[in-house]
Amino acid sequence: MTRASMTRENLARSAVLSVADSLADCLDILRGVDVVQRVLLIGGGAKSEALCSVYPDTLGMPVTVLETGEHVALGAARQKAWAPGEFPRWSRSASRELRPSDDAGVREFRRRYGLVRRATEAELT
């Protein structure tokens, strides 16, 4: 990073990408134990075009953006309904499906990022 490249836009982009990369790291761990079926984007993230534009490529899979709503309240209601042992089904309203691009540069960046992350983790242990 240089003074010339330290613009408001670049700092904002780096903040968005750091959140996306952190989630990608978590997703990689979950993939390792085979529990990932899909990615849903809800709440404030679903309203952010910045996040919507980077998540599919960064996560390496499609991202379903749900219509905004009271997802936290609905989640609490679902947990309460499951307590007696029944598994209720509620429909979800997807507003759009975001697909990863075919950008080889993004895949190469993720590969290199993973190598550096694993090397750093190895040094810290």
Side-chain angles (χ1 to χ4, degrees):
M1 184 173 278
T2 65
R3 279 189 153 186
S5 67
M6 201 185 256
T7 64
R8 292 173 58 148
E9 296 80 8
N10 285 343
L11 289 173
R13 181 167 174 76
S14 68
V16 169
L17 290 174
S18 67
V19 170
D21 284 332
S22 178
L23 287 174
D25 288 346
C26 296
L27 186 63
D28 287 345
I29 292 167
L30 293 173
R31 283 182 179 134
V33 292
D34 200 29
V35 296
V36 178
Q37 295 178 358
R38 66 179 171 226
V39 173
L40 301 176
L41 188 56
I42 65 171
K47 296 176 188 176
S48 169
E49 282 305 314
L51 291 176
C52 290
S53 70
V54 299
Y55 275 164
D57 283 334
T58 304
L59 301 178
M61 63 186 297
V63 174
T64 301
V65 180
L66 298 185
E67 290 180 6
T68 57
E70 295 297 328
H71 299 292
V72 173
L74 286 173
R78 288 178 180 152
Q79 288 179 354
K80 176 67 175 163
W82 294 335
E86 294 186 25
F87 188 75
R89 295 277 181 193
W90 280 282
S91 62
R92 293 184 185 101
S93 299
S95 62
R96 59 188 169 150
E97 181 85 9
L98 307 173
R99 298 232 168 254
S101 68
D102 292 329
D103 187 346
V106 173
R107 286 193 305 278
E108 177 61 14
F109 172 81
R110 288 294 308 150
R111 186 188 70 76
R112 288 183 184 182
Y113 175 84
L115 292 172
V116 170
R117 181 177 46 85
R118 286 188 292 281
T120 303
E121 289 171 353
E123 287 179 15
L124 294 175
T125 56

